[in-house]
C-alpha cells in the first residue's frame, strides 16, 4: 500500500541541523541560523539539550535543559541584541595518566594512614 503525502509538521519549533558553527531552527515556517558566535551559551550544549526547545509563545523560545530564554527577534537580528552573558566554554578535562592516578591514590592512602579520624579508641 503506498503511503500518503506527508503532512505538515505539528511542531511549532524544531532544530533541523547542527554544525560546528551553530544550528538551524525551524520556527513555524521560518528557518533561522543560530550562530555559536552570537549565542555562545549553546556552544557546549549536547544535541539533546539543543533539540529540547519549546515555543511557549509566538515570540519566545525556551531551552529548559539549558535554562535559556530568547526572543525570536534576537535570533533574526542578533546585532540588535548585545550579549548580556559572556559564557566561557566549560573546562575540558584531559585524561588522567596511569602515573598521575597512582600518585593520587598513594597520597590518599598515606594521608589516611596517619589520621585517626573516623576511628574509635
Amino acid at each position: 500500500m503506498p503511503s500518503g503525502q506527508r503532512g505538515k509538521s505539528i511542531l511549532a519549533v524544531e532544530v533541523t541541523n547542527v554544525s560546528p558553527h551553530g544550528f538551524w531552527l525551524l520556527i513555524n515556517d521560518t528557518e533561522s541560523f543560530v550562530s555559536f558566535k552570537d549565542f555562545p551559551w549553546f556552544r557546549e550544549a549536547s544535541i539533546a539539550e539543543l533539540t529540547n526547545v519549546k515555543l511557549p509563545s509566538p515570540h519566545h523560545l525556551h531551552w529548559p535543559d539549558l535554562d535559556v530564554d530568547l526572543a525570536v527577534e534576537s535570533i533574526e537580528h542578533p546585532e540588535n541584541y548585545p550579549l548580556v552573558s559572556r559564557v566561557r566554554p566549560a573546562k575540558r578535562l584531559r585524561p588522567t595518566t596511569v602515573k598521575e592516578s597512582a600518585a593520587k591514590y598513594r597520597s590518599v592512602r598515606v594521608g589516611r594512614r596517619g589520621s585517626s579520624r573516623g576511628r574509635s579508641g
Side-chain angles (χ1 to χ4, degrees):
M1 181 171 160
S3 58
Q5 184 177 356
R6 291 177 55 172
K8 189 175 180 179
S9 174
I10 59 170
L11 296 175
V13 61
E14 68 178 301
V15 173
T16 59
N17 196 4
V18 179
S19 84
H21 306 287
F23 60 98
W24 286 263
L25 260 183
L26 182 63
I27 305 168
N28 295 316
D29 292 326
T30 304
E31 191 166 42
S32 300
F33 182 69
V34 180
S35 165
F36 293 144
K37 180 179 175 242
D38 293 329
F39 300 94
W41 44 86
F42 293 119
R43 182 169 301 164
E44 298 297 323
S46 68
I47 299 296
E49 291 169 331
L50 283 178
T51 57
N52 184 16
V53 57
K54 311 289 183 213
L55 188 68
S57 71
H59 306 289
H60 174 215
L61 293 162
H62 177 64
W63 283 263
D65 298 337
L66 301 171
D67 194 25
V68 172
D69 291 275
L70 290 178
V72 173
E73 173 75 14
S74 70
I75 292 172
E76 295 169 353
H77 301 286
E79 67 279 1
N80 295 336
Y81 296 85
L83 290 176
V84 174
S85 173
R86 297 207 184 266
V87 175
R88 294 179 183 208
K91 181 180 177 185
R92 295 283 187 189
L93 300 177
R94 63 177 177 80
T96 305
T97 65
V98 173
K99 185 177 179 181
E100 290 171 328
S101 185
K104 185 174 181 179
Y105 176 73
R106 278 194 301 275
S107 70
V108 169
R109 290 192 65 208
V110 169
R112 287 188 182 160
R113 203 178 293 161
S115 172
S116 62
R117 282 185 14 199
R119 296 183 183 169
S120 57

